[in-house]
Amino acid sequence: MIGNTLYLPGFSHLLNGSRPKAQRLAKETNALDGLASLVGRFIPSDLFEPAEGGRRRVFTPWVTFIAFLGQVLSRGSSCRETVRRVQAWATASHQPVPDENSSAYCQARSRLPVSALEAAHEELGAWFERHHGEKWCGRSVKVIDGTCLSMPDTAENRQRWSYAPNQKRGCGFPTARLVGMFCLATGRLVRFALDTFHAHESMLARQLIAWIETGEVALIDRGFCGWGFIALLQRKDVDVVARLHASRSEKTGIVEWEKPQRPRHGWNKTLWDELPEKLTVRLIRFRITIPGFRSQTVVLATTLLNEVAYPDEAIIELYRRRWAVELFFRDIKTTLGLDVLRCCSPELVEKEV
């Protein structure tokens, strides 16, 4: 993209208004107080209020959060460099200046509660909901997909996350699997489930069902197009649009799927027994004529059975937008430089995510 921002390489300055405005934002966010001012527009600082009666610290929860955020957003930024940014802020605001030892900052990061980070994430999501209300056929759409994250090869990370297959000890990096649920209208990451690389994506996706609202539509790829996952969504009155799994018959029209006798991928037997004996789905076939696309013929499975309210063309167009989730992950991992995590302990890895 032309005219990239200085503080988020890869994003056009047009997304932030004029170039002078983007340059001003870049200059402000390079300083700790500027980043705090920008973040404060979306996340209130009182979410990080220190505990009553606690020690007065230079690295308060709010200062630690902003410093940690700035470190994560700066590729290759060290703890010592982050401490120097805090020193510059403290000097400019006539606050006690910490010494150059990064130990206090590292301890403050370890004390930063995950609950406060989750509350900040929810606050940011609420801001998006207030400002963006685009819907598909009058319904909100959530997109679910998975990705992997690598991290430093430390003993603690190896014990928690382990290596991916075909990697020998000392010749690879611990890898985590993440399944994210995005809002199609805004691209924001609504919720995610994190586990080792060996966890199956469908198991992680089941953890996200509680965060899909009744009446919404789940847009998923063929890896999640399993009988049990769709049945769980249907039980919550959530409809599904998915690419048909390769093991299923490609007969089009309204069909019934029998309940498998044996569940796969770690199902609880009690929960499995509570699911219905049959699922009614609608299969739609269409051809892709765009040069360069690998798939030529695609079959979709959906629980949207009303062909008048949800014509084939509308569902096909919706599924074409599923590719946007790959761009969402690209924005997080590649554009922001977060493809490789940098924290050396499992607890801080989770906070960094």
Side-chain angles (χ1 to χ4, degrees):
M1 301 174 68
I2 61 171
N4 295 338
T5 61
L6 302 178
Y7 62 103
L8 291 181
F11 280 101
S12 169
H13 72 274
L14 297 177
L15 298 178
N16 301 282
S18 63
R19 175 173 284 276
K21 180 180 179 181
Q23 292 174 331
R24 177 175 56 80
L25 284 173
K27 183 177 179 180
E28 290 177 355
T29 52
N30 281 331
L32 193 67
D33 56 343
L35 182 59
S37 176
L38 182 63
V39 173
R41 293 168 50 190
F42 310 97
I43 300 173
S45 61
D46 55 13
L47 291 178
F48 295 88
E49 282 295 319
E52 294 185 6
R55 291 174 52 190
R56 293 187 61 185
R57 305 176 185 270
V58 174
F59 289 100
T60 63
W62 174 249
V63 171
T64 304
F65 167 64
I66 296 299
F68 192 16
L69 177 62
Q71 183 181 11
V72 168
L73 290 176
S74 303
R75 185 186 289 270
S77 178
S78 65
C79 291
R80 185 162 301 229
E81 180 183 341
T82 303
V83 169
R84 289 182 181 134
R85 295 180 70 188
V86 176
Q87 288 178 319
W89 163 80
T91 301
S93 57
H94 306 289
Q95 301 290 331
V97 180
D99 59 36
E100 291 191 358
N101 193 319
S102 59
S103 175
Y105 168 64
C106 293
Q107 293 179 48
R109 280 197 319 181
S110 66
R111 291 192 302 267
L112 197 63
V114 175
S115 58
L117 298 176
E118 292 174 342
H121 184 258
E122 293 300 314
E123 192 71 28
L124 185 61
W127 184 92
F128 271 101
E129 292 297 330
R130 291 193 298 269
H131 290 80
H132 300 275
E134 178 191 351
K135 295 180 184 269
W136 174 81
C137 293
R139 302 175 68 171
S140 297
V141 180
K142 296 295 190 297
V143 192
I144 297 176
D145 204 2
T147 189
C148 293
L149 304 168
S150 63
M151 62 199 70
D153 187 17
T154 65
E156 290 179 292
N157 283 342
R158 282 197 301 270
Q159 185 176 2
R160 171 67 178 88
W161 305 107
S162 74
Y163 287 126
N166 302 321
Q167 287 187 346
K168 295 183 179 180
R169 186 181 182 87
C171 300
F173 296 92
T175 305
R177 189 181 298 279
L178 181 146
V179 173
M181 180 172 70
F182 293 85
C183 172
L184 183 65
T186 63
R188 75 178 181 92
L189 181 61
V190 178
R191 186 69 57 168
F192 64 87
L194 186 69
D195 209 328
T196 68
F197 183 86
H198 302 288
H200 198 277
E201 287 187 346
S202 63
M203 294 178 61
L204 297 180
R206 292 203 293 269
Q207 300 178 25
L208 305 177
I209 292 180
W211 308 103
I212 306 179
E213 300 293 334
T214 297
E216 292 185 329
V217 176
L219 182 58
I220 58 179
D221 200 9
R222 60 170 35 165
F224 303 98
C225 186
W227 193 96
F229 187 59
I230 295 177
L232 275 180
L233 290 169
Q234 279 283 274
R235 190 170 73 162
K236 196 175 179 180
D237 292 329
V238 173
D239 282 303
V240 175
V241 174
R243 186 173 179 184
L244 186 69
H245 195 277
S247 63
R248 289 280 182 182
S249 170
E250 296 185 354
K251 177 183 177 182
T252 57
I254 306 295
V255 299
E256 284 191 341
W257 287 352
E258 300 286 342
K259 183 178 183 180
Q261 293 183 352
R262 296 181 180 179
R264 300 178 60 191
H265 306 310
W267 277 89
N268 178 279
K269 187 176 184 305
T270 302
L271 176 60
W272 184 261
D273 292 340
E274 292 175 356
L275 298 178
E277 295 301 319
K278 294 182 179 180
L279 276 181
T280 304
V281 298
R282 171 181 161 203
L283 302 183
I284 303 170
R285 184 195 307 272
F286 70 98
R287 289 186 59 81
I288 297 178
T289 58
I290 302 175
F293 273 56
R294 179 176 58 185
S295 300
Q296 299 298 319
T297 302
V298 175
V299 179
L300 302 181
T302 179
T303 56
L304 298 167
L305 306 181
N306 190 331
E307 299 183 10
V308 176
Y310 308 101
D312 290 358
E313 294 75 13
I315 294 176
I316 292 170
E317 183 58 33
L318 175 63
Y319 186 78
R320 283 176 176 157
R321 294 181 62 188
R322 195 210 68 82
W323 178 249
V325 74
E326 309 293 346
L327 305 183
F328 299 158
F329 275 131
R330 185 190 67 179
D331 290 340
I332 293 174
K333 296 175 65 176
T334 304
T335 306
L336 294 180
L338 304 180
D339 48 334
V340 178
L341 303 178
R342 286 163 292 199
C343 289
C344 297
S345 69
E347 295 77 14
L348 285 176
V349 163
E350 293 182 356
K351 293 179 183 181
E352 186 177 1
V353 172

